[in-house]
Amino acid sequence: MFEDSTFESGQRIKTKARFWMILTGSINGGILILLILIPLIYPEALPTALMATVLTAPPPPPPPPPPPPPPEVHIVHVQSEMMNNQLTAPTKIPHNIVQVTEKEAPPSNFGVAGMEGMGGSGGVMGSMFGSGNAPKVQAAAPKKVNISAGVSTGLLIQKTTPVYPPIAKAARVSGTVVLQATISKTGTIENLKVVSGPAMLQQSALDAVRQWRYRPYLLNNEPVEVDTTVNVVFTLGG
């Protein structure tokens, strides 16, 4: 040993160090392999408490509480006292029987006070159903009605032909002038106004229609005023 530590010994020191290194590595490797193989070959050698903790699954959560039961529905069977659309006798007689008294019926000859003189002793109702002479009610005729242009043409008794304006004829203007008019109870024209038509022909149409006369329009054999339209046609060939 002294020789190895103080003097050069060639390759002996290196050879011994390599030998011990190989031997130590082999021993450590064998111990490591044994530590790995023993649990695989003998699993019962592992600690039971640790394995139970690692391998055991946690318990499942408790189930939810059951829903509350539905409320009870009481079905009441009502037995009708009708059988085949006919009343049946009751099964028991009540102890207390209440008598219902009806009021007196109103008199048959009823009417409106103060109306005895209108056709009978029973007032208004007596005048309607009795033998008396009731007054006749007649609806009043309306003050004014509307009629079409065709109806008013049938009532025309005097017609004045309108004068064709020379300026309109020179300009080759033709067409129909529509007028709104009121026929009075005597057949004259009132409230005459233009609705539509060429401007050059309107005044001539107004002057002619104001002279027209109609038969009175009768409603319920009474003459009434009527509103109507009048069409005045201007043609270049006429």
Side-chain angles (χ1 to χ4, degrees):
M1 180 183 302
F2 180 76
E3 181 182 0
D4 292 338
S5 60
T6 56
F7 301 100
E8 294 182 2
S9 58
Q11 296 297 329
R12 286 187 299 171
I13 296 177
K14 295 182 179 180
T15 303
K16 290 181 180 181
R18 185 180 299 173
F19 172 75
W20 286 107
M21 184 180 62
I22 294 173
L23 180 60
T24 304
S26 301
I27 293 172
N28 293 334
I31 294 173
L32 182 60
I33 292 173
L34 287 176
L35 292 176
I36 295 174
L37 293 179
I38 287 174
L40 298 177
I41 299 174
Y42 301 101
E44 59 273 6
L46 297 175
T48 306
L50 181 60
M51 293 299 296
T53 304
V54 175
L55 299 178
T56 303
E72 297 182 0
V73 179
H74 298 280
I75 301 176
V76 179
H77 298 279
V78 180
Q79 184 176 3
S80 177
E81 296 182 357
M82 300 290 292
M83 183 177 292
N84 297 329
N85 296 328
Q86 296 181 358
L87 290 173
T88 58
T91 57
K92 59 181 180 179
I93 299 175
H95 297 286
N96 299 327
I97 300 176
V98 180
Q99 295 182 356
V100 179
T101 58
E102 297 181 357
K103 297 181 180 180
E104 296 181 358
S108 59
N109 54 348
F110 62 93
V112 180
M115 303 295 290
E116 289 84 0
M118 297 184 62
S121 61
V124 176
M125 297 300 296
S127 65
M128 294 176 63
F129 300 102
S131 58
N133 296 325
K136 295 181 180 181
V137 179
Q138 185 176 4
K143 295 182 179 180
K144 186 182 293 187
V145 296
N146 294 323
I147 61 175
S148 63
V151 175
S152 64
T153 302
L155 300 175
L156 185 61
I157 57 177
Q158 180 182 342
K159 180 178 181 181
T160 302
T161 303
V163 178
Y164 211 117
I167 187 174
K169 185 177 292 186
R172 309 295 293 177
V173 176
S174 63
T176 301
V177 179
V178 181
L179 305 177
Q180 179 73 31
T182 299
I183 303 175
S184 66
K185 296 180 181 180
T186 59
T188 59
I189 294 295
E190 299 177 355
N191 301 326
L192 188 64
K193 58 183 179 180
V194 178
V195 177
S196 63
M200 293 183 180
L201 305 175
Q202 292 178 3
Q203 188 60 43
S204 178
L206 290 172
D207 296 340
V209 173
R210 284 194 182 97
Q211 304 177 29
W212 292 7
R213 295 294 179 267
Y214 293 85
R215 290 196 306 271
Y217 184 82
L218 301 179
L219 184 63
N220 295 330
N221 295 325
E222 293 290 338
V224 294
E225 294 182 351
V226 294
D227 287 335
T228 185
T229 56
V230 180
N231 298 326
V232 182
V233 182
F234 291 85
T235 57
L236 292 173

